[in-house]
């Protein structure tokens, strides 16, 4: 039987190398050790002829030793099986731990990917809001330009209509003045014509009076 300290030492060595040594290697080692023991004791237990009492005693001792070795070998096998079982349990726990690590890593990666997508969505949302704000500002500027243009056009039309009205008023005033001037000239011509007519009438009357006076004197 192996001592507890040896067992712990063997477990420690086995745990440190279990990942690199396959199970077939351990089985082969046990088989080789068992075969070596059999070979050694087979060589010692050969009998020629007529075993003596000493040989019989030696044979008995050898059988006892062989039995002891077999028992020790069985204990070694049992212990090795326990170590293998322990290693398999350890490996199973390691696999579970690794799976949990991989699961956590996958969850972290999924969370990172999700956060990345959410960040991208947030950036797209911000860009969309900025674009909409830019479009609103641009439309506001364009509407303001259109309004200013409309105001300028209305002011220009108002000034044009005012100028036309002033021109029409000036034409009316000019026509009135022209009519007044013509009427005044017409009145002057009429007065002048009346004077001439009066003068001619007076001259004719004066001539007639002279003729009448001459005839009267001649009579």
């Amino acid at each position: 039987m192996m001592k507890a300290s040896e067992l712990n030492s063997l477990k420690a060595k086995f745990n440190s190398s279990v990942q690199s040594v396959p199970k077939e290697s351990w089985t082969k080692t046990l088989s080789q050790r068992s075969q070596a023991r059999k070979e050694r004791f087979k060589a010692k237990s050969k009998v020629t002829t007529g075993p003596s009492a000493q040989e019989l005693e030696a044979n008995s001792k050898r059988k006892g030793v062989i039995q002891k070795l077999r028992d020790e070998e069985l204990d070694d096998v049992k212990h090795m099986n326990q170590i293998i079982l322990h290693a398999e349990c350890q490996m199973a726990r390691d696999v579970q731990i690794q799976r949990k690590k991989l699961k956590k890593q996958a969850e972290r990666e999924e969370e990172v990917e999700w956060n990345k997508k959410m960040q991208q969505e947030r950036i797209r949302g911000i860009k969309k809001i900025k674009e909409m704000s830019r479009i609103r500002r641009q439309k506001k500027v364009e509407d303001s330009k259109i309004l200013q243009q409309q105001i300028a056009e209305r002011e220009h039309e108002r000034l044009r209509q005012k100028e036309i009205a002033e021109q029409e008023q000036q034409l009316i005033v000019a026509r009135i003045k022209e009519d007044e001037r013509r009427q005044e000239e017409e009145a002057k011509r009429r007065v002048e014509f009346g004077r001439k007519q009066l003068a001619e009438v007076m001259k004719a009357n004066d001539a007639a009076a002279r003729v009448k006076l001459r005839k009267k004197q001649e009579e």
Side-chain angles (χ1 to χ4, degrees):
M1 294 291 293
M2 297 181 68
K3 295 181 180 180
S5 59
E6 294 176 350
L7 178 59
N8 292 331
S9 176
L10 182 58
K11 286 182 179 180
K13 291 180 180 180
F14 184 82
N15 288 331
S16 63
S17 60
V18 67
Q19 300 296 333
S20 60
V21 178
K23 183 177 179 180
E24 290 77 3
S25 178
W26 304 332
T27 305
K28 184 177 180 181
T29 301
L30 289 175
S31 178
Q32 289 175 352
R33 289 173 60 185
S34 177
Q35 185 65 28
R37 288 193 188 98
K38 290 178 181 179
E39 292 292 335
R40 287 196 304 270
F41 284 99
K42 184 177 181 181
K44 291 180 180 181
S45 62
K46 286 183 178 180
V47 179
T48 56
T49 57
S52 63
Q54 293 179 350
E55 289 175 345
L56 291 174
E57 184 180 358
N59 287 335
S60 178
K61 290 181 179 180
R62 283 196 296 271
K63 289 179 179 180
V65 172
I66 290 173
Q67 185 62 39
K68 184 179 180 181
L69 290 173
R70 286 177 179 175
D71 293 339
E72 289 180 355
E73 183 179 356
L74 181 60
D75 290 338
D76 288 344
V77 171
K78 290 181 179 180
H79 179 63
M80 185 59 69
N81 288 335
Q82 290 177 354
I83 293 176
I84 293 173
L85 180 61
H86 176 75
E88 290 177 347
C89 293
Q90 184 66 34
M91 289 178 66
R93 286 194 296 269
D94 292 341
V95 169
Q96 290 179 353
I97 293 172
Q98 185 65 20
R99 286 179 179 175
K100 289 181 179 179
K101 288 182 179 179
L102 292 175
K103 184 178 179 181
K104 289 183 179 180
Q105 182 178 358
E107 290 176 352
R108 286 195 297 269
E109 291 176 355
E110 184 178 356
E111 184 178 0
V112 170
E113 185 66 22
W114 172 258
N115 292 333
K116 183 179 179 181
K117 289 181 179 180
M118 292 300 294
Q119 180 68 10
Q120 291 175 351
E121 289 293 333
R122 188 178 71 84
I123 293 173
R124 280 196 292 269
I126 293 174
K127 287 182 178 179
K128 185 176 181 180
I129 292 173
K130 288 183 178 180
E131 181 65 16
M132 292 175 64
S133 178
R134 186 190 66 80
I135 292 174
R136 284 196 299 269
R137 289 196 303 271
Q138 184 177 357
K139 188 175 184 302
K140 187 176 180 181
V141 171
E142 292 176 354
D143 292 342
S144 177
K145 288 181 179 180
I146 292 173
L147 180 61
Q148 291 176 359
Q149 185 177 358
Q150 291 176 349
I151 293 173
E153 290 176 353
R154 285 197 293 269
E155 181 66 16
H156 178 73
E157 181 65 18
R158 187 185 68 80
L159 294 175
R160 191 178 71 83
Q161 293 295 333
K162 181 180 179 182
E163 185 179 0
I164 292 173
E166 289 177 352
Q167 290 177 356
E168 290 179 350
Q169 187 175 4
Q170 289 175 1
L171 288 174
I172 292 171
V173 171
R175 288 175 183 174
I176 291 173
K177 289 182 178 180
E178 181 66 20
D179 291 340
E180 289 177 352
R181 186 184 65 77
R182 289 178 180 178
Q183 290 176 4
E184 186 178 356
E185 289 180 355
E186 184 66 22
K188 287 181 180 179
R189 284 197 297 272
R190 288 177 181 178
V191 170
E192 185 66 24
F193 179 76
R195 287 178 182 176
K196 288 181 179 180
Q197 289 290 328
L198 180 60
E200 288 178 356
V201 170
M202 290 178 65
K203 185 178 180 180
N205 289 336
D206 186 54
R210 287 178 183 178
V211 171
K212 186 176 180 180
L213 181 58
R214 188 180 305 116
K215 287 182 179 181
K216 188 176 180 181
Q217 288 176 355
E218 288 179 354
E219 290 178 356

